Amino acid sequence: MKRLLLPLLAALALPTAVLAGKIYTPYFKVLSDAFSDEKYMVIAFPSNEKKDTYLQIYCWPDNKYKRRFRGRLTMHQVRDDIGVRLRWDKEEPESQTWNSNGELDELYLGRGSFENTRMYIPKFRKHSKLTLQYRTYIDGTHTVTFDLDPIKPLFAQAEDEGCVWEDK
C-alpha cells in the first residue's frame, strides 16, 4: 500500500515535492500538473561544491501567458531578498537581487517577473561555468560553481518538447 500511496502523494504536490530530492547529475524532465494536466518541463543541475545546492529552470510551454519560466536556486536559510553575485566564465562579476520563497530555502532567478528569469537562458546556453555567491542567515557567505556544458543539450531537448526559451 505504501508503494502506491507515496508516489501519489508526491504527485499531488507538484512541482516542489517531485523535485525536492537530491540532485547529483543534470537532468531534464517533462511533467504534468496533477490537477490541470498542464505540461511543464524542468532542467535541474547541482553545484560542484555544496550538497543540496542546485539550480532548476522551469518552462510551461502551453501556458496561456506564453513562455512562462521560473528559475530556482535551492539551498538553506537564505535572506528574504538576497543580493547575489554572478560570474559567467571569466567575465566581470555582476550583482543581482533575487527573491526568496516563504520557507527561505530557495531563491528565484531574477526579481519579480518571469521575464527576469528569461534573461538568464542565453547566458546558460552561451557560457561554460557559472560562479555564484550568496549569503545565508546561519553560515554567512557561500560561493558555488555550476558546470553549464552538461545542460546545453537539455535546453535543446526542452525546445523539442515545446519550450521557446528566447523571444524571436
Side-chain angles (χ1 to χ4, degrees):
M1 182 72 163
K2 279 186 185 177
R3 273 190 263 172
L4 294 173
L5 190 56
L6 290 176
L8 178 61
L9 290 173
L12 293 175
L14 290 174
T16 305
V18 170
L19 302 171
K22 310 283 187 232
I23 297 175
Y24 298 107
T25 59
Y27 68 78
F28 166 76
K29 289 184 181 179
V30 177
L31 301 166
S32 178
D33 184 280
F35 293 99
S36 68
D37 295 325
E38 181 180 31
K39 175 173 88 169
Y40 68 96
M41 292 161 241
V42 63
I43 294 172
F45 49 105
S47 73
N48 296 325
E49 294 81 12
K50 201 149 173 51
K51 183 177 135 186
D52 299 333
T53 300
Y54 50 89
L55 283 167
Q56 295 172 306
I57 309 296
Y58 293 86
C59 172
W60 287 263
D62 301 324
N63 187 284
K64 67 181 181 179
Y65 298 106
K66 289 189 176 180
R67 305 182 196 136
R68 185 175 143 198
F69 303 101
R70 183 173 71 209
R72 187 163 81 181
L73 171 71
T74 299
M75 83 302 275
H76 297 287
Q77 298 300 317
V78 298
R79 301 174 188 276
D80 293 333
D81 281 336
I82 188 165
V84 297
R85 288 182 42 134
L86 304 156
R87 188 171 190 201
W88 304 92
D89 294 330
K90 296 289 183 186
E91 292 181 358
E92 287 295 315
E94 58 187 78
S95 295
Q96 300 281 329
T97 300
W98 291 358
N99 294 336
S100 66
N101 70 351
E103 297 171 11
L104 302 178
D105 62 354
E106 297 175 343
L107 291 176
Y108 294 101
L109 280 62
R111 186 175 173 90
S113 82
F114 298 112
E115 289 303 314
N116 289 334
T117 297
R118 182 189 304 278
M119 75 182 196
Y120 293 104
I121 303 301
K123 294 180 179 196
F124 283 124
R125 298 179 86 175
K126 174 184 172 188
H127 297 285
S128 295
K129 180 180 174 184
L130 168 62
T131 303
L132 177 66
Q133 191 174 68
Y134 62 91
R135 289 183 53 83
T136 66
Y137 280 122
I138 295 174
D139 12 60
T141 302
H142 296 271
T143 301
V144 294
T145 60
F146 295 89
D147 290 327
L148 303 179
D149 289 334
I151 67 165
K152 290 176 182 172
L154 304 180
F155 281 101
Q157 195 175 352
E159 282 179 341
D160 291 344
E161 292 285 339
C163 275
V164 180
W165 294 110
E166 300 174 44
D167 283 329
K168 303 288 181 188

